């Protein structure tokens, strides 16, 4: 199975900050990398698919990049509603493994 | 509007069985592969199982293989997860999620989840 490792595991930031979360795969996943936002008690929400494609209705402050084994999710200017947990997921090969998550908290 | 609504969660003893269902609406269910994903309390998301649109192919996480069975009824727009020989570590919120299709298969729509407690 492909292992996905996110860093950092948690991150404190303020509204307006630029934030970057990284995701590393244990082997190449090409560009088959997706990012999700998850808030307590809610369904996870797809933000980015295929490494850098913005899902419909997701604000443009979210962006993704990378290929192979190293990927990043960037939020250009944090908004109050962005404090949540973020997950990467590879869909290159089953099982479609997730990273362990990054908790984005208010500083 | 795409909707996925899970049901069937509850409290079950170790070694017992439970069947989860996911009712789909707002899209042509038979055209999409589907997944089950779970989250234990305080833990991250864990992919559990996948079924393709025609039910020809199913896949399972090692942690549930041989105990869980995914199935679907395209006529009823329904996805199921039969869970047998349940263990305490299967306690989690279980989500059904649509495979968005195309080459990249992102989970583009999710249900609100149903809680399974094994105790």
């Amino acid at each position: 199975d492909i292992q996905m490792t996110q860093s950092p595991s948690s991150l404190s930031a303020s509204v307006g900050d630029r934030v970057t979360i990284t995701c590393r795969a244990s082997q190449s996943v090409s560009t088959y990398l997706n990012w999700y936002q998850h808030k307590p008690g809610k369904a996870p929400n797809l933000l980015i698919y295929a490494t850098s494609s913005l899902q419909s209705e997701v604000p443009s402050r979210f962006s993704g990049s990378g290929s192979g084994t190293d990927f990043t999710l960037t939020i250009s200017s944090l908004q109050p509603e962005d404090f949540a947990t973020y997950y990467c997921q590879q869909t290159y090969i089953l099982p479609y493994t997730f990273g362990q998550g990054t908790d984005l908290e208010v500083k | 509007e795409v909707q996925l609504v899970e049901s069937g969660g509850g409290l079950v003893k170790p070694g017992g069985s439970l069947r989860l269902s996911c009712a789909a609406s707002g899209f042509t269910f038979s055209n999409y592969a589907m997944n089950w994903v779970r989250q234990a309390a305080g833990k991250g998301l864990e992919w559990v199982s996948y079924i393709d649109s025609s039910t020809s192919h199913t896949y399972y996480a090692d942690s549930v293989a041989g105990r869980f069975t995914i199935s679907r009824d395209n006529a009823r727009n329904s996805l199921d997860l039969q869970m047998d020989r349940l263990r305490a570590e299967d306690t989690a919120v279980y989500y059904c999620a649509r495979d968005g299709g195309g080459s990249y298969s992102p989970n583009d729509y999710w249900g609100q989840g149903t809680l399974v407690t094994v105790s």
Side-chain angles (χ1 to χ4, degrees):
Chain A
D1 297 358
I2 297 176
Q3 307 303 315
M4 307 301 293
T5 304
Q6 291 180 228
S7 61
S9 294
S10 64
L11 175 60
S12 296
S14 302
V15 172
D17 284 354
R18 180 182 180 88
V19 166
T20 297
I21 298 168
T22 65
C23 177
R24 175 163 287 177
S26 60
Q27 65 187 76
S28 176
V29 298
S30 182
T31 56
Y32 289 74
L33 194 285
N34 311 309
W35 290 96
Y36 301 87
Q37 178 191 68
H38 193 199
K39 296 179 179 179
K42 303 275 195 177
N45 183 43
L46 175 66
L47 299 174
I48 303 278
Y49 65 96
T51 298
S52 59
S53 296
L54 198 64
Q55 175 68 351
S56 176
E57 299 184 13
V58 172
S60 60
R61 63 181 179 272
F62 292 93
S63 64
S65 65
S67 68
T69 60
D70 294 305
F71 301 88
T72 60
L73 172 70
T74 299
I75 309 173
S76 60
S77 178
L78 266 178
Q79 298 302 301
E81 60 269 27
D82 299 338
F83 293 98
T85 303
Y86 292 84
Y87 295 92
C88 63
Q89 180 204 32
Q90 65 81 18
T91 48
Y92 181 66
I93 190 168
L94 285 156
Y96 291 157
T97 40
F98 289 91
Q100 82 278 15
T102 295
D103 292 326
L104 180 53
E105 303 165 338
V106 178
K107 183 182 282 186
Chain B
E1 178 193 6
V2 171
Q3 283 199 317
L4 298 170
V5 180
E6 302 93 340
S7 61
L11 176 64
V12 61
K13 290 180 168 36
S17 298
L18 210 56
R19 189 176 186 90
L20 305 184
S21 292
C22 172
S25 60
F27 65 103
T28 304
F29 181 70
S30 59
N31 287 352
Y32 291 86
M34 298 293 295
N35 295 270
W36 287 98
V37 176
R38 68 185 180 183
Q39 184 181 35
K43 305 288 188 182
L45 298 176
E46 179 188 13
W47 175 85
V48 172
S49 186
Y50 164 98
I51 186 167
D52 71 4
S53 58
S54 64
T55 78
S56 298
H57 296 100
T58 59
Y59 297 89
Y60 301 91
D62 288 346
S63 57
V64 307
R67 301 186 299 120
F68 290 12
T69 304
I70 191 171
S71 62
R72 65 190 294 162
D73 184 337
N74 286 341
R76 291 175 48 241
N77 293 340
S78 179
L79 173 73
D80 289 341
L81 186 68
Q82 176 67 39
M83 304 186 296
D84 298 320
R85 303 199 306 277
L86 282 160
R87 306 167 179 166
E89 54 265 37
D90 296 318
T91 295
V93 174
Y94 284 73
Y95 298 96
C96 65
R98 190 180 83 166
D99 181 316
S103 299
Y104 295 92
S105 298
N107 294 329
D108 60 350
Y109 287 94
W110 298 63
Q112 291 296 314
T114 188
L115 176 62
V116 172
T117 303
V118 184
S119 177

